[in-house]
PDB file of all heavy atoms in Angstrom:
ATOM      1  N   LEU A  81      15.748  38.555 -16.766  1.00  0.00           N
ATOM      2  CA  LEU A  81      14.326  38.281 -16.976  1.00  0.00           C
ATOM      3  C   LEU A  81      13.792  39.084 -18.158  1.00  0.00           C
ATOM      4  O   LEU A  81      13.053  38.555 -18.990  1.00  0.00           O
ATOM      5  CB  LEU A  81      13.520  38.579 -15.712  1.00  0.00           C
ATOM      6  CG  LEU A  81      12.017  38.286 -15.789  1.00  0.00           C
ATOM      7  CD1 LEU A  81      11.754  36.836 -16.183  1.00  0.00           C
ATOM      8  CD2 LEU A  81      11.340  38.606 -14.465  1.00  0.00           C
ATOM      9  N   LYS A  82      14.166  40.352 -18.258  1.00  0.00           N
ATOM     10  CA  LYS A  82      13.713  41.164 -19.394  1.00  0.00           C
ATOM     11  C   LYS A  82      14.189  40.549 -20.704  1.00  0.00           C
ATOM     12  O   LYS A  82      13.465  40.562 -21.696  1.00  0.00           O
ATOM     13  CB  LYS A  82      14.207  42.603 -19.253  1.00  0.00           C
ATOM     14  CG  LYS A  82      13.411  43.395 -18.243  1.00  0.00           C
ATOM     15  CD  LYS A  82      13.815  44.845 -18.225  1.00  0.00           C
ATOM     16  CE  LYS A  82      12.944  45.597 -17.235  1.00  0.00           C
ATOM     17  NZ  LYS A  82      13.168  47.043 -17.278  1.00  0.00           N
ATOM     18  N   GLY A  83      15.379  39.979 -20.722  1.00  0.00           N
ATOM     19  CA  GLY A  83      15.901  39.332 -21.920  1.00  0.00           C
ATOM     20  C   GLY A  83      15.086  38.121 -22.349  1.00  0.00           C
ATOM     21  O   GLY A  83      14.952  37.833 -23.539  1.00  0.00           O
ATOM     22  N   LYS A  84      14.521  37.410 -21.391  1.00  0.00           N
ATOM     23  CA  LYS A  84      13.713  36.217 -21.706  1.00  0.00           C
ATOM     24  C   LYS A  84      12.299  36.565 -22.161  1.00  0.00           C
ATOM     25  O   LYS A  84      11.594  35.723 -22.708  1.00  0.00           O
ATOM     26  CB  LYS A  84      13.634  35.298 -20.491  1.00  0.00           C
ATOM     27  CG  LYS A  84      14.961  34.607 -20.198  1.00  0.00           C
ATOM     28  CD  LYS A  84      14.811  33.488 -19.212  1.00  0.00           C
ATOM     29  CE  LYS A  84      14.104  32.290 -19.704  1.00  0.00           C
ATOM     30  NZ  LYS A  84      14.684  31.466 -20.726  1.00  0.00           N
ATOM     31  N   CYS A  85      11.870  37.807 -21.950  1.00  0.00           N
ATOM     32  CA  CYS A  85      10.488  38.191 -22.263  1.00  0.00           C
ATOM     33  C   CYS A  85      10.218  38.302 -23.761  1.00  0.00           C
ATOM     34  O   CYS A  85       9.070  38.466 -24.170  1.00  0.00           O
ATOM     35  CB  CYS A  85      10.127  39.491 -21.542  1.00  0.00           C
ATOM     36  SG  CYS A  85       9.914  39.220 -19.773  1.00  0.00           S
ATOM     37  N   GLY A  86      11.236  38.172 -24.587  1.00  0.00           N
ATOM     38  CA  GLY A  86      11.037  38.136 -26.037  1.00  0.00           C
ATOM     39  C   GLY A  86      10.214  36.932 -26.463  1.00  0.00           C
ATOM     40  O   GLY A  86       9.684  36.896 -27.579  1.00  0.00           O
ATOM     41  N   ALA A  87      10.075  35.966 -25.578  1.00  0.00           N
ATOM     42  CA  ALA A  87       9.269  34.767 -25.866  1.00  0.00           C
ATOM     43  C   ALA A  87       7.798  35.118 -26.071  1.00  0.00           C
ATOM     44  O   ALA A  87       7.037  34.314 -26.599  1.00  0.00           O
ATOM     45  CB  ALA A  87       9.408  33.763 -24.724  1.00  0.00           C
ATOM     46  N   PHE A  88       7.404  36.318 -25.677  1.00  0.00           N
ATOM     47  CA  PHE A  88       5.997  36.719 -25.765  1.00  0.00           C
ATOM     48  C   PHE A  88       5.751  37.717 -26.902  1.00  0.00           C
ATOM     49  O   PHE A  88       4.883  38.556 -26.818  1.00  0.00           O
ATOM     50  CB  PHE A  88       5.545  37.323 -24.428  1.00  0.00           C
ATOM     51  CG  PHE A  88       5.698  36.374 -23.285  1.00  0.00           C
ATOM     52  CD1 PHE A  88       6.702  36.559 -22.346  1.00  0.00           C
ATOM     53  CD2 PHE A  88       4.871  35.275 -23.157  1.00  0.00           C
ATOM     54  CE1 PHE A  88       6.862  35.679 -21.289  1.00  0.00           C
ATOM     55  CE2 PHE A  88       5.026  34.383 -22.111  1.00  0.00           C
ATOM     56  CZ  PHE A  88       6.022  34.583 -21.180  1.00  0.00           C
ATOM     57  N   SER A  89       6.492  37.593 -27.989  1.00  0.00           N
ATOM     58  CA  SER A  89       6.354  38.515 -29.118  1.00  0.00           C
ATOM     59  C   SER A  89       5.138  38.169 -29.971  1.00  0.00           C
ATOM     60  O   SER A  89       4.600  37.057 -29.910  1.00  0.00           O
ATOM     61  CB  SER A  89       7.615  38.484 -29.978  1.00  0.00           C
ATOM     62  OG  SER A  89       7.721  37.237 -30.628  1.00  0.00           O
ATOM     63  N   SER A  90       4.724  39.136 -30.795  1.00  0.00           N
ATOM     64  CA  SER A  90       3.572  38.902 -31.670  1.00  0.00           C
ATOM     65  C   SER A  90       3.868  37.801 -32.693  1.00  0.00           C
ATOM     66  O   SER A  90       2.971  37.102 -33.138  1.00  0.00           O
ATOM     67  CB  SER A  90       3.161  40.190 -32.380  1.00  0.00           C
ATOM     68  OG  SER A  90       4.235  40.675 -33.165  1.00  0.00           O
ATOM     69  N   GLY A  91       5.148  37.612 -33.027  1.00  0.00           N
ATOM     70  CA  GLY A  91       5.529  36.548 -33.953  1.00  0.00           C
ATOM     71  C   GLY A  91       5.315  35.159 -33.378  1.00  0.00           C
ATOM     72  O   GLY A  91       5.291  34.170 -34.105  1.00  0.00           O
ATOM     73  N   LYS A  92       5.137  35.072 -32.080  1.00  0.00           N
ATOM     74  CA  LYS A  92       4.899  33.778 -31.432  1.00  0.00           C
ATOM     75  C   LYS A  92       3.425  33.602 -31.066  1.00  0.00           C
ATOM     76  O   LYS A  92       3.068  32.752 -30.265  1.00  0.00           O
ATOM     77  CB  LYS A  92       5.766  33.667 -30.179  1.00  0.00           C
ATOM     78  CG  LYS A  92       7.239  33.888 -30.509  1.00  0.00           C
ATOM     79  CD  LYS A  92       8.127  32.927 -29.856  1.00  0.00           C
ATOM     80  CE  LYS A  92       9.524  33.188 -30.389  1.00  0.00           C
ATOM     81  NZ  LYS A  92      10.566  32.683 -29.673  1.00  0.00           N
ATOM     82  N   GLY A  93       2.567  34.434 -31.667  1.00  0.00           N
ATOM     83  CA  GLY A  93       1.126  34.279 -31.483  1.00  0.00           C
ATOM     84  C   GLY A  93       0.511  35.133 -30.394  1.00  0.00           C
ATOM     85  O   GLY A  93      -0.682  35.008 -30.117  1.00  0.00           O
ATOM     86  N   TYR A  94       1.264  36.003 -29.759  1.00  0.00           N
ATOM     87  CA  TYR A  94       0.733  36.847 -28.689  1.00  0.00           C
ATOM     88  C   TYR A  94       0.226  38.166 -29.252  1.00  0.00           C
ATOM     89  O   TYR A  94       0.852  38.769 -30.111  1.00  0.00           O
ATOM     90  CB  TYR A  94       1.792  37.118 -27.619  1.00  0.00           C
ATOM     91  CG  TYR A  94       2.121  35.886 -26.819  1.00  0.00           C
ATOM     92  CD1 TYR A  94       3.145  35.037 -27.217  1.00  0.00           C
ATOM     93  CD2 TYR A  94       1.398  35.555 -25.684  1.00  0.00           C
ATOM     94  CE1 TYR A  94       3.440  33.894 -26.499  1.00  0.00           C
ATOM     95  CE2 TYR A  94       1.684  34.413 -24.965  1.00  0.00           C
ATOM     96  CZ  TYR A  94       2.705  33.585 -25.375  1.00  0.00           C
ATOM     97  OH  TYR A  94       2.994  32.456 -24.660  1.00  0.00           O
ATOM     98  N   GLU A  95      -0.917  38.600 -28.757  1.00  0.00           N
ATOM     99  CA  GLU A  95      -1.521  39.864 -29.165  1.00  0.00           C
ATOM    100  C   GLU A  95      -1.613  40.765 -27.935  1.00  0.00           C
ATOM    101  O   GLU A  95      -2.075  40.333 -26.876  1.00  0.00           O
ATOM    102  CB  GLU A  95      -2.920  39.582 -29.710  1.00  0.00           C
ATOM    103  CG  GLU A  95      -3.715  40.800 -30.037  1.00  0.00           C
ATOM    104  CD  GLU A  95      -5.158  40.475 -30.441  1.00  0.00           C
ATOM    105  OE1 GLU A  95      -5.519  39.281 -30.510  1.00  0.00           O
ATOM    106  OE2 GLU A  95      -5.907  41.422 -30.661  1.00  0.00           O
ATOM    107  N   LYS A  96      -1.186  42.011 -28.066  1.00  0.00           N
ATOM    108  CA  LYS A  96      -1.279  42.949 -26.948  1.00  0.00           C
ATOM    109  C   LYS A  96      -2.714  43.441 -26.833  1.00  0.00           C
ATOM    110  O   LYS A  96      -3.285  43.961 -27.786  1.00  0.00           O
ATOM    111  CB  LYS A  96      -0.342  44.133 -27.144  1.00  0.00           C
ATOM    112  CG  LYS A  96      -0.312  45.056 -25.925  1.00  0.00           C
ATOM    113  CD  LYS A  96       0.638  46.219 -26.114  1.00  0.00           C
ATOM    114  CE  LYS A  96       2.023  45.767 -25.732  1.00  0.00           C
ATOM    115  NZ  LYS A  96       2.971  46.898 -25.626  1.00  0.00           N
ATOM    116  N   LEU A  97      -3.304  43.250 -25.650  1.00  0.00           N
ATOM    117  CA  LEU A  97      -4.679  43.668 -25.410  1.00  0.00           C
ATOM    118  C   LEU A  97      -4.757  45.039 -24.773  1.00  0.00           C
ATOM    119  O   LEU A  97      -5.684  45.805 -25.028  1.00  0.00           O
ATOM    120  CB  LEU A  97      -5.385  42.675 -24.480  1.00  0.00           C
ATOM    121  CG  LEU A  97      -5.490  41.239 -24.939  1.00  0.00           C
ATOM    122  CD1 LEU A  97      -6.182  40.407 -23.883  1.00  0.00           C
ATOM    123  CD2 LEU A  97      -6.231  41.155 -26.263  1.00  0.00           C
ATOM    124  N   MET A  98      -3.791  45.321 -23.905  1.00  0.00           N
ATOM    125  CA  MET A  98      -3.874  46.541 -23.128  1.00  0.00           C
ATOM    126  C   MET A  98      -2.483  46.931 -22.672  1.00  0.00           C
ATOM    127  O   MET A  98      -1.651  46.076 -22.371  1.00  0.00           O
ATOM    128  CB  MET A  98      -4.775  46.296 -21.911  1.00  0.00           C
ATOM    129  CG  MET A  98      -5.020  47.500 -21.052  1.00  0.00           C
ATOM    130  SD  MET A  98      -6.196  47.108 -19.744  1.00  0.00           S
ATOM    131  CE  MET A  98      -5.083  46.935 -18.370  1.00  0.00           C
ATOM    132  N   SER A  99      -2.241  48.238 -22.607  1.00  0.00           N
ATOM    133  CA  SER A  99      -0.975  48.745 -22.097  1.00  0.00           C
ATOM    134  C   SER A  99      -1.249  50.043 -21.361  1.00  0.00           C
ATOM    135  O   SER A  99      -1.939  50.918 -21.892  1.00  0.00           O
ATOM    136  CB  SER A  99      -0.008  48.982 -23.257  1.00  0.00           C
ATOM    137  OG  SER A  99       1.230  49.440 -22.784  1.00  0.00           O
ATOM    138  N   VAL A 100      -0.733  50.163 -20.141  1.00  0.00           N
ATOM    139  CA  VAL A 100      -0.932  51.363 -19.333  1.00  0.00           C
ATOM    140  C   VAL A 100       0.420  51.816 -18.810  1.00  0.00           C
ATOM    141  O   VAL A 100       1.165  51.013 -18.230  1.00  0.00           O
ATOM    142  CB  VAL A 100      -1.874  51.085 -18.133  1.00  0.00           C
ATOM    143  CG1 VAL A 100      -2.012  52.319 -17.265  1.00  0.00           C
ATOM    144  CG2 VAL A 100      -3.224  50.587 -18.603  1.00  0.00           C
ATOM    145  N   LYS A 101       0.735  53.083 -19.022  1.00  0.00           N
ATOM    146  CA  LYS A 101       1.959  53.673 -18.487  1.00  0.00           C
ATOM    147  C   LYS A 101       1.559  54.761 -17.515  1.00  0.00           C
ATOM    148  O   LYS A 101       0.773  55.644 -17.853  1.00  0.00           O
ATOM    149  CB  LYS A 101       2.823  54.249 -19.606  1.00  0.00           C
ATOM    150  CG  LYS A 101       3.368  53.204 -20.533  1.00  0.00           C
ATOM    151  CD  LYS A 101       4.260  53.799 -21.587  1.00  0.00           C
ATOM    152  CE  LYS A 101       4.763  52.681 -22.495  1.00  0.00           C
ATOM    153  NZ  LYS A 101       5.741  53.154 -23.450  1.00  0.00           N
ATOM    154  N   ASN A 102       2.126  54.698 -16.291  1.00  0.00           N
ATOM    155  CA  ASN A 102       1.765  55.659 -15.271  1.00  0.00           C
ATOM    156  C   ASN A 102       2.894  55.787 -14.257  1.00  0.00           C
ATOM    157  O   ASN A 102       3.282  54.796 -13.630  1.00  0.00           O
ATOM    158  CB  ASN A 102       0.470  55.220 -14.574  1.00  0.00           C
ATOM    159  CG  ASN A 102      -0.041  56.234 -13.588  1.00  0.00           C
ATOM    160  OD1 ASN A 102       0.274  57.422 -13.678  1.00  0.00           O
ATOM    161  ND2 ASN A 102      -0.827  55.783 -12.636  1.00  0.00           N
ATOM    162  N   ASP A 103       3.432  56.971 -14.092  1.00  0.00           N
ATOM    163  CA  ASP A 103       4.450  57.265 -13.078  1.00  0.00           C
ATOM    164  C   ASP A 103       5.609  56.272 -13.074  1.00  0.00           C
ATOM    165  O   ASP A 103       5.979  55.726 -12.035  1.00  0.00           O
ATOM    166  CB  ASP A 103       3.818  57.325 -11.682  1.00  0.00           C
ATOM    167  CG  ASP A 103       2.863  58.489 -11.528  1.00  0.00           C
ATOM    168  OD1 ASP A 103       3.065  59.516 -12.196  1.00  0.00           O
ATOM    169  OD2 ASP A 103       1.920  58.372 -10.717  1.00  0.00           O
ATOM    170  N   GLY A 104       6.181  55.991 -14.225  1.00  0.00           N
ATOM    171  CA  GLY A 104       7.333  55.099 -14.304  1.00  0.00           C
ATOM    172  C   GLY A 104       6.997  53.623 -14.232  1.00  0.00           C
ATOM    173  O   GLY A 104       7.872  52.776 -14.196  1.00  0.00           O
TER     174      GLY A 104
END
Side-chain angles (χ1 to χ4, degrees):
L81 182 56
K82 283 186 178 187
K84 289 193 71 67
C85 287
F88 301 107
S89 68
S90 60
K92 305 224 174 162
Y94 290 91
E95 174 186 357
K96 186 179 275 191
L97 300 179
M98 183 175 103
S99 181
V100 177
K101 294 182 181 186
N102 185 23
D103 294 331

